[in-house]
Amino acid sequence: MSDQKRVIEYDDQTVRMFMIASIFWGIVGMLVGVIVAAQLNFHILNFDTSWLTFGRLRPLHTNAVIFAFVGNMMFAGVYHSTQRLVKARLGSDLLSKVHFWGWQLIIVSAAITLPLGYTRGKEYAELIWPINIAVALIWVVFGINFFLTLAKRNEKSLYVAIWFYIATIITVAMLYIVNHLSIPTGLLHSYPIFGGVQDALVQWWYGHNAVAFFLTTPILGIMYYYMPKAADRPVYSYRLSVVHFWSLVFIYIWAGPHHLLYTALPGWLQQLGMIFSLMLWAPSWGGMLNGLLTLRGAWDKLRTDPVLKFFAAGVTFYGMATFEGPLLSIRSVNALAHYTDWIIGHVHAGTLGWNGFMAAGMFYFLAPRLWKTKLYSVPMANMHFWLGLVGILLYVASMWVSGITQGLMLNNADEQGILAYPNFLETLQSIRPLMLTRVVGGGIYLAGFILMAYNIWKTVQSGEAVNGVCEVSAADEDAKKMGLIGAVTHPAFLYSAGLVVFSCIWLFADGFLELIGMGATIVTVMSCIVHFTRSGDSFAHWYDKLLENSMPFTVLVLISAATGGVVQIVPLVNIDKASVAEDKMQKVYTPLELAGRDIYVSEGCYNCHSQQIRPFVAEVKRYGDYSRLGESIYDHPYQWGSKRTGPDLARLGDKYPDAWHYDHMLDPRQTSPGSNMPNYPWLFEKFTDYGSLPSKINAQKMLGVPFPDWSPAEIDSAAKAQAKAIQKKLESQGKEVDADTEIVALIAYLQQLGKSIDLEHEVATN
């Protein structure tokens, strides 16, 4: 072994830029969050302006907080900690710069397009297709830069935090690409390739696991690096971290269907989602306990060190959120909580408490070190902590009470099915004080975050930017590392894979297959014990060798993460749509109805209204017959929704005359006193884009929607003829309107909701 030493200078300038960007975008995202929360109480704050409505700003808020705030924070933490864990400078200075500026350009593009109504209409996946391509490319840049850094590392083994970073990079790429597969119809519009129930499943496979692998796994990696550093204590249990990592990566990916309980999603998928969600309790709490117990012997530091305050509270909120998530996936609890503010409270407990507090702790830890100075004000940091904590508690507690109140009122029906609160607005009026409390809580949290920004700004002013350095030995060539073949043919892997496969068969199969699964599981466990007892080999030895080579480790992570998605998605994508349509099949939209639907999606109506009636007495009495799988089979994107700030619209068609919709969109208070819905005056001025309909219909035909073989002239003629008919009907009801305005197309779409082909009647007739 050579004794020659060399000094490595880290690239901390990239870390500083991502950290500053995260703080800036965090303030922007949270400010928009306070605004949209206030809009739900005071409709006048929509300002009768299209790009300031709740439906358009809410996606801006979620994307800004997830991808701009947490994204930039994650990149800062990953780049800073990885360099020190592997004792190597980032793979490429050029790629680091491309990554930073490319990501900021994506954020700015999203901030422009979303308020203008350019959206895909899928939660947390609203960005239009050109921006999605940019996201994928920049993510690849990030991945290449990260793995180049690992390739030139001067540490033999991969530390725990890096496992979580690898899982993040690989799994987010898989999730994002699959869920954003689309067919463009123009420069700013596309249709997702999946529709109806398939789109719903893929969306929540992505949506749930975006929380898992963008908002959780990288932050857990950050926890495993920064908490021991801040506490000056080793991680509590290395073995627990191994179990935590692999069980989380494998189990999390299966849990997405719990967002679709009691919907038209096939029952076996709902059951699968609930079971795996409940299984998540164990690894999630294992990670939380590993983090908190790392502070053993250092609890006294929480009185004086704001970094540890934020980390300890953040990990505690992680534990709370990961207890509440599986709880909400239990069918009886979900029946009460889904579509209510309880879900909003749950999500914000995670984002404000887990992500926000971990970010603050990391920033307070990094700032003095990146600028070689002391934190400007520890008392100010402590004040930030208490402001943030009070803000979170006000926000989450108000949403818990609001959500439970909503659920109880909306589901309150007697034995005869008579609703105790037949008017949806009754529930809205009852929770207004709680919605206002949410605004106050969010405002307090934002004030604390702004205080942090000022504290760090003053800290930066008092110091100078410095890059970290380390001294490493020029080591001889490493011994041969275990490759992919060696990793997957080792008994440790084979026994583990067999145990997973056979236990799943035992858990989910029936009859003879269930017995085979049980027997094979028992045999696998016994064989494993006997083999390792006699051979002297061990899982630990195999795992230590695995950590010396990032390539086989990464492949195993991909296999673990992809398994659940393949099992859930592939069967549903490959089924014949008509064969699972139950007794109702969706009618194909007319050209004008399709145009109206695109307007509905553009305005973000799915943020407040669902189009999915669950098979509950109260919902059927309130909205109409429960929704069938076949009724949305041609919807690209699906519009089942996840929150009811307004009533469900699945059976809205022909419920009210055209004039009612005209008045409702012009001023909802005319038809629904007490409504908090925005006014939409621009719909009466903007003209429907008939010219884009041929390309949109051609794209839908490519996706399997059975539109007739119309020429562009026939499409234009059909759309305008229907618009004229609606115009005449409105005129007969005393409403003057231009037939070519967007309100007419939107009315056409709303009036067809709930209309379908009765398959049982067709069979009987034939």
Side-chain angles (χ1 to χ4, degrees), residues 328-406:
L328 290 167
S329 71
I330 298 172
R331 288 175 67 85
S332 56
V333 179
N334 185 275
L336 172 70
H338 195 47
Y339 293 125
T340 74
D341 283 336
W342 187 348
I343 308 301
I344 307 302
H346 165 63
V347 169
H348 282 78
T351 51
L352 298 178
W354 164 236
N355 297 128
F357 270 22
M358 291 299 291
M362 190 185 84
F363 295 157
Y364 284 128
F365 179 89
L366 286 178
R369 291 164 174 81
L370 293 176
W371 280 274
K372 199 178 181 180
T373 184
K374 291 184 177 180
L375 185 65
Y376 173 70
S377 173
V378 171
M380 196 179 292
N382 287 327
M383 176 61 73
H384 171 204
F385 174 81
W386 292 110
L387 285 173
L389 187 61
V390 170
I392 293 170
L393 294 177
L394 280 174
Y395 191 111
V396 175
S398 64
M399 292 296 94
W400 281 342
V401 177
S402 172
I404 294 171
T405 301
Q406 281 178 300

Side-chain angles (χ1 to χ4, degrees), residues 613-766:
I613 303 170
R614 296 176 296 179
F616 302 156
V617 172
E619 291 206 12
V620 171
K621 288 290 184 179
R622 186 183 305 278
Y623 304 121
D625 197 12
Y626 70 90
S627 298
R628 313 297 206 278
L629 186 151
E631 290 182 285
S632 58
I633 213 155
Y634 300 135
D635 281 352
H636 300 265
Y638 87 113
Q639 292 288 280
W640 291 4
S642 63
K643 174 70 174 71
R644 286 176 181 154
T645 305
D648 188 275
L649 304 181
R651 306 275 178 226
L652 183 65
D654 289 342
K655 186 174 182 180
Y656 304 107
D658 291 353
W660 186 94
H661 291 290
Y662 179 100
D663 291 335
H664 187 64
M665 300 306 297
L666 189 61
D667 179 6
R669 266 62 54 190
Q670 290 185 52
T671 57
S672 308
S675 172
N676 58 9
M677 180 174 157
N679 302 330
Y680 289 87
W682 57 91
L683 296 178
F684 299 79
E685 300 167 1
K686 289 180 64 178
F687 291 102
T688 302
D689 182 12
Y690 294 126
S692 65
L693 284 175
S695 63
K696 289 180 176 180
I697 289 175
N698 284 336
Q700 296 236 334
K701 288 174 69 175
M702 291 172 62
L703 295 171
V705 182
F707 277 100
D709 292 324
W710 286 322
S711 67
E714 289 173 322
I715 292 171
D716 185 75
S717 176
K720 290 181 177 178
Q722 187 177 4
K724 283 287 186 183
I726 294 174
Q727 178 196 38
K728 289 181 179 179
K729 194 180 295 185
L730 285 168
E731 287 178 348
S732 69
Q733 297 166 3
K735 307 297 178 184
E736 294 292 332
V737 66
D738 190 313
D740 296 330
T741 50
E742 289 188 341
I743 184 61
V744 174
L746 182 60
I747 290 173
Y749 170 65
L750 295 175
Q751 291 290 36
Q752 67 77 43
L753 288 174
K755 297 179 180 178
S756 58
I757 301 169
D758 190 335
L759 297 181
E760 290 183 348
H761 175 73
E762 280 203 347
V763 170
T765 303
N766 293 334

Side-chain angles (χ1 to χ4, degrees), residues 170-321:
I170 296 301
T171 312
V172 168
M174 173 184 70
L175 293 165
Y176 200 89
I177 290 171
V178 173
N179 189 51
H180 289 78
L181 292 172
S182 303
I183 295 183
T185 66
L187 183 60
L188 302 174
H189 184 267
S190 66
Y191 289 121
I193 66 169
F194 303 107
V197 66
Q198 296 169 345
D199 196 34
L201 177 63
V202 172
Q203 162 60 20
W204 283 113
W205 171 74
Y206 160 84
H208 179 79
N209 292 300
V211 173
F213 291 94
F214 200 92
L215 300 178
T216 302
T217 53
I219 315 305
L220 285 169
I222 285 168
M223 177 196 80
Y224 274 112
Y225 177 79
Y226 288 102
M227 279 195 78
K229 284 284 186 183
D232 197 23
R233 294 287 188 278
V235 171
Y236 172 69
S237 171
Y238 178 77
R239 287 187 176 182
L240 183 56
S241 68
V242 175
V243 175
H244 173 211
F245 173 77
W246 287 103
S247 55
L248 197 74
V249 168
F250 177 75
I251 294 173
Y252 227 125
I253 210 82
W254 296 75
H258 78 226
H259 291 266
L260 300 168
L261 297 182
Y262 292 109
T263 67
L265 187 74
W268 69 273
L269 282 168
Q270 297 186 37
Q271 192 75 9
L272 206 62
M274 185 183 76
I275 291 172
F276 275 93
S277 297
L278 294 173
M279 291 167 63
L280 272 175
W281 258 325
S284 298
W285 273 50
M288 176 197 69
L289 293 173
N290 214 10
L292 290 179
L293 291 174
T294 297
L295 298 176
R296 69 199 188 285
W299 287 103
D300 59 303
K301 294 183 179 180
L302 267 67
R303 294 197 303 268
T304 57
D305 189 349
V307 172
L308 285 180
K309 273 192 181 76
F310 278 102
F311 282 159
V315 173
T316 303
F317 273 107
Y318 170 67
M320 290 171 56

